[in-house]
Amino acid sequence: MSENRVRLQFLGAIGTVTGSCTLLEYTPIDGEKTYYMIDIGEYQGEHLSSISENKRRVLSWAKRVRGLFLTHAHLDHIGLLPDFIKAGFMGTVYCTKATRDLTKIMLTDAAKIKEESPVDFEKIRFCIPDEREDFEFRHPISLTHDFFFSVWRSSHILGSCAWRFHWTKKDYPENTALKDKEWLYIYFSGDIGPVDKNSSPNIMFRGRHAPYHGKEKRFIILESTYGGRPPREKNTDGKTVFDKRIEKLVEILNKYRDYSILVPAFALNRSQELLLDLYYIQFTQKVPLYSKDIKVRRVEKNETLKKSLKRDNQENPEKRKVLEEIWQKYKPNETLDENFLYKDMPDAMQEEILAVDNKYDQRPKDFLLPVIESPLIEKINTVYLENLAARFKSTEKNDSGYKYKYLAKDFLATFGLGKENSSTEQICAVENILQKALFLKESRYSFEKDFIKRKNCIFISASGMCDEGKIVTLLPLFLKDEKAVILLTGYQAQGTNGFHLRKLSRDEYTDDEKFNKKITLPTGDIRLWDIKCTIIDLSVFYSGHADQEQLVDYVVWDDPKHPESIQPVVFLNHGTDEARMGLKQAIEEKDRQRLAKPGSNPNPITVFLPEINIWYNLNRDGEADPAEPEETAPDLIEFVSSDTVITLSFRDCEDLCVSVPVKYEHKLPEISRFFREQIIFSDDNKKA
């Protein structure tokens, strides 16, 4: 072979919005093929006859894949990892620190639901680029000679990223400087979050990194979940989606103040958005959540200062600083002693400390308190607290210094924390807000026991489609209650309980359908006719995916400063065929508008709707390669004969099942032809 070659094969998420899995093959000049995989997701809520066959094909690559790159920790991108490991994968898993932490939680929970043995994560070799001291988003990291990858923030959920790989077609002398080489680039977008102020529904994540413009050849694997969704209406009133969502929530909380509210939410990211929204409403007092009668803290017998320092084993840095100042006032030059008894304090010192407690730890009698009814959500919250405010040292021009990896400037502005800076005060303030918003252990109680007594509460539980998780044990307490409200906050797959509830809220069922259709629950089905609670669909205000306009802008480079930029070759995956076709047409229309402008690069953008299990050759501008017998990875097995190890490759060749040493794979057509001439098949046509 005269040049380094890169090919792609899509093993999942073609015509579907789940099951993401793409194979990348890199073959250097006069070298061996190396395989990398980007995501390894399972199908969720999509009924395809080919799912089991697709899974078999994915797992057949386990022993040959050297590296697995995860874009984020949703199960439709990581769900097959346990099976991949069982099938023999012993390579390296590449992901961000947050994705690794979330992956462990999500897969452990999934194994519990499936009643499978948990994954032994100690046996997985993780490579975490953002744990490197020299980490920088978009900066290249070497995989092999002249084959690099880099991490690009995608703003979908915490830790999510796009992966960029770049390589050279030619083989350069060792002393050739990198800048003097001709590079090709490929981007795997993963799931892309909405980021502009008109359509971004969250204030947590800073902007995503879009592919660079340039004169080099670029390929982009682009998700198309909402490729058929038209853009939101332009903002004419100056309000962002976040502003409008808060207004709607405030309206609901005021209108249904004496009701119990249940929010089925996806455990990963949607729940954290909701909790932050509710805390923001409390923070700005947009709803009069507090009564005037505040509970005043009293000192208990033999109580120590530790109770003031730590509330529910969580320490407030801001409060500790105030308490240390009081301590030094009365006990100068002494280190604060958390085991010091209140009864041994001077009366004035005790009064000052209790005043601080009453300021920082108010427990109102009339408080519309969110209650987390999901152990999974609580575990995920710990990862958000640890990673959302994480920082790295940037060396980029005009942007040097310590920067937040993920936290948006909008978050700082919303909570009045000023511009992004490296001060300890700002970091402590951010962590204090996240602590208050995400951790509500003081609100935990026996739900079933106290539900009738406890009204005017908001209960958040998983899962978002109301089909599994803790939510299915809570729904019976709400569905028949006229003084209850259910808030839907996300996508509802067809046929799920959430799908029926959403259609019911829109009055899309006839009386006959309401009488015959049911919500399926472990404790017994409930007819739609018998549902008395109020159902409100808020999904229009919550989205983790970019819409069609944002996806188009991600790939069509219409920059008047760089009209000469070469347009990329785009492969659309992770979307229904309808969404992919709608996005393809929108991309091509935007590119036609670009081409009409004077000075624009005359080469049009190329958009492929790839098919599953076909090799696409990037050395030939993404064209499909002819089918080859060896295009599907073989299952491998080792036989030991004396001191010689022979690795055999098992293949189905039409009506033959052939096993040969791996080094003779390329001879399979000849071998199968020889056997076909020599073997006489029995009448039942069994494979030989």
Side-chain angles (χ1 to χ4, degrees), residues 20 37-40 68-74 76-78 93-96 98-100 103 151-165 187-192 221 406 574:
S20 286
M37 192 171 278
I38 294 80
D39 285 333
I40 186 158
L68 172 61
F69 290 79
L70 304 179
T71 60
H72 64 283
H74 276 143
D76 63 321
H77 291 257
I78 65 168
V93 177
Y94 297 83
C95 60
T96 62
T99 294
R100 177 195 61 191
T103 293
V151 185
W152 296 57
R153 191 171 48 237
S154 66
S155 307
H156 173 57
I157 65 171
L158 182 66
S160 64
C161 69
W163 295 102
R164 186 188 76 174
F165 298 86
Y187 298 78
F188 291 85
S189 73
D191 288 355
I192 301 174
I221 315 305
Y406 305 110
H574 200 286

Side-chain angles (χ1 to χ4, degrees), residues 456-657:
N456 72 321
C457 272
I458 303 170
F459 303 93
I460 300 174
S461 187
S463 68
M465 295 186 194
C466 304
D467 267 5
E468 59 185 23
K470 180 71 173 177
I471 195 73
V472 296
T473 66
L474 307 184
L475 282 170
L477 300 170
F478 284 81
L479 290 175
K480 296 183 179 181
D481 185 357
E482 293 182 350
K483 295 284 285 183
V485 176
I486 293 178
L487 301 182
L488 301 176
T489 59
Y491 175 75
Q492 307 297 330
Q494 187 167 356
T496 61
N497 286 336
F499 176 82
H500 293 309
L501 292 175
R502 186 182 65 185
K503 290 196 69 174
L504 190 63
S505 72
R506 298 173 178 177
D507 199 24
E508 294 178 357
Y509 284 126
T510 65
D511 287 348
D512 285 344
E513 288 174 323
K514 291 177 186 177
F515 192 82
N516 291 311
K517 291 185 180 294
K518 300 176 181 179
I519 299 297
T520 304
L521 300 169
T523 54
D525 297 347
I526 297 177
R527 292 184 305 178
L528 300 186
W529 182 269
D530 297 323
I531 294 175
K532 305 300 180 185
C533 67
T534 300
I535 303 169
I536 302 174
D537 184 10
L538 294 178
S539 57
V540 67
F541 295 105
Y542 290 94
S543 174
H545 290 270
D547 61 26
Q548 184 187 85
E549 184 176 46
Q550 293 173 323
L551 292 171
V552 170
D553 289 341
Y554 191 83
V555 296
V556 179
W557 300 332
D558 189 10
D559 186 348
K561 295 181 180 179
H562 302 280
E564 75 287 352
S565 295
I566 296 177
Q567 297 300 306
V569 175
V570 181
F571 294 86
L572 300 181
N573 72 339
H574 200 286
T576 64
D577 288 337
E578 182 181 2
R580 290 200 297 158
M581 179 56 72
L583 181 56
K584 181 179 188 294
Q585 293 170 348
I587 290 172
E588 291 171 341
E589 174 58 31
K590 181 69 177 286
D591 194 49
R592 278 192 288 271
Q593 297 173 14
R594 177 193 65 82
L595 289 168
K597 296 179 180 179
S600 294
N601 189 302
N603 295 319
I605 197 168
T606 302
V607 184
F608 287 108
L609 300 182
E611 298 179 31
I612 206 162
N613 303 322
I614 290 177
W615 282 115
Y616 292 91
N617 193 329
L618 303 194
N619 287 42
R620 300 196 302 114
D621 294 333
E623 294 292 338
D625 274 349
E628 304 169 4
E630 62 265 32
E631 65 181 320
T632 303
D635 295 321
L636 301 176
I637 187 169
E638 290 186 345
F639 286 94
V640 179
S641 176
S642 64
D643 59 346
T644 302
V645 178
I646 302 174
T647 303
L648 296 182
S649 169
F650 290 93
R651 289 198 182 280
D652 284 347
C653 296
E654 298 179 7
D655 53 348
L656 290 177
C657 181

Side-chain angles (χ1 to χ4, degrees), residues 305 308-309 315-338 345 349 352-353 356-357 360 428:
L305 190 56
S308 290
L309 287 168
E315 185 172 299
N316 182 332
E318 181 184 341
K319 181 182 177 185
R320 183 182 182 90
K321 184 178 179 181
V322 175
L323 292 174
E324 285 179 340
E325 291 174 355
I326 296 173
W327 179 271
Q328 289 299 318
K329 177 180 176 181
Y330 291 94
K331 295 184 176 294
N333 303 320
E334 291 186 26
T335 304
L336 186 148
D337 181 7
E338 64 179 26
M345 297 178 187
M349 180 181 181
E352 285 193 44
I353 290 178
V356 172
D357 281 353
Y360 284 92
C428 290

